[in-house]
Amino acid sequence: MIFKRQKPRLTPITKTDVVKRLLDLAVVKVGNSDKAVLVFFDLKCPFCARLFKETEEILVDMAKRGLVTFAMCDYVVHKEAEPLHRKLRCLSEEERLKLISDVYSGKRVDAGECPEGNLRECEKAAEEVGVYGTPTILFYNFAKGRGYIHFGYMPPSDVLDAISSL
């Protein structure tokens, strides 16, 4: 029996104001394009780690070239991840991707003591577009006022296909 891999399920969304607010709340934001790729993540989520390891370099490169805005917004599912998510807000923007990379690579990271910041605001806004778990990827084209949301892990080739469909 041969199993055919299913195409990712992309749910259409048209909530431009909410997506703009999410980009403002995102703990990581690289680039400034009409096309956005926003990842909702939890630092203790194994599929978030896999998605990050496989796509972060590609998405940061695309963002630096002006092709997309790449952003990451907290959506804490695992309670033990909260201190690490708070720590992200105590770091400079340049240091945040490194901390995420270190955590997802299994390195020991001291969370320290940091104020909560807008951790819960990001989660509340995420729920306005239907986010209910991690990882979730939101693809949005501001010029067209529409986009797609995908729940769960996506291989890099599918992420690139979804971006090209914007």
Side-chain angles (χ1 to χ4, degrees), residues 50-51 53-55 58 153-162:
R50 181 177 175 193
L51 178 70
K53 289 176 191 176
E54 293 177 357
T55 63
I58 297 164
Y153 167 80
M154 253 181 136
S157 60
D158 290 350
V159 170
L160 293 173
D161 286 347

Side-chain angles (χ1 to χ4, degrees), residues 55-67:
T55 63
E56 181 256 348
E57 194 174 305
I58 297 164
L59 293 172
V60 167
D61 179 62
M62 290 178 75
K64 287 180 177 176
R65 291 187 293 135
L67 302 174

Side-chain angles (χ1 to χ4, degrees), residues 9 47-48 51 132-137 149-155 159:
R9 193 165 147 243
F47 286 102
C48 297
L51 178 70
Y132 58 83
T134 60
T136 297
I137 311 169
I149 197 163
H150 175 78
F151 304 101
Y153 167 80
M154 253 181 136
V159 170

Side-chain angles (χ1 to χ4, degrees), residues 42-46 75-83 85 134:
D42 178 306
L43 285 167
K44 293 292 182 178
C45 163
Y75 194 90
V76 181
V77 176
H78 300 88
K79 188 101 171 121
E80 65 274 14
E82 282 188 19
H85 280 272
T134 60

Side-chain angles (χ1 to χ4, degrees), residues 86-158:
R86 283 192 210 100
K87 180 176 178 108
L88 285 172
R89 283 160 179 71
C90 292
L91 299 174
S92 68
E93 285 192 40
E94 296 78 34
E95 297 174 298
R96 293 175 183 175
L97 282 172
K98 182 178 179 342
L99 176 88
I100 295 167
S101 179
D102 287 350
V103 169
Y104 285 153
S105 296
K107 294 182 182 172
R108 289 194 53 83
V109 175
D110 178 31
E113 291 295 320
C114 294
E116 187 169 321
N118 63 2
L119 192 61
R120 299 293 174 229
E121 289 178 50
C122 203
E123 289 177 16
K124 287 177 193 163
E127 289 167 0
E128 289 181 48
V129 292
V131 174
Y132 58 83
T134 60
T136 297
I137 311 169
L138 189 149
F139 303 93
Y140 208 82
N141 186 327
F142 289 103
K144 294 180 180 177
R146 64 179 167 82
Y148 306 96
I149 197 163
H150 175 78
F151 304 101
Y153 167 80
M154 253 181 136
S157 60
D158 290 350

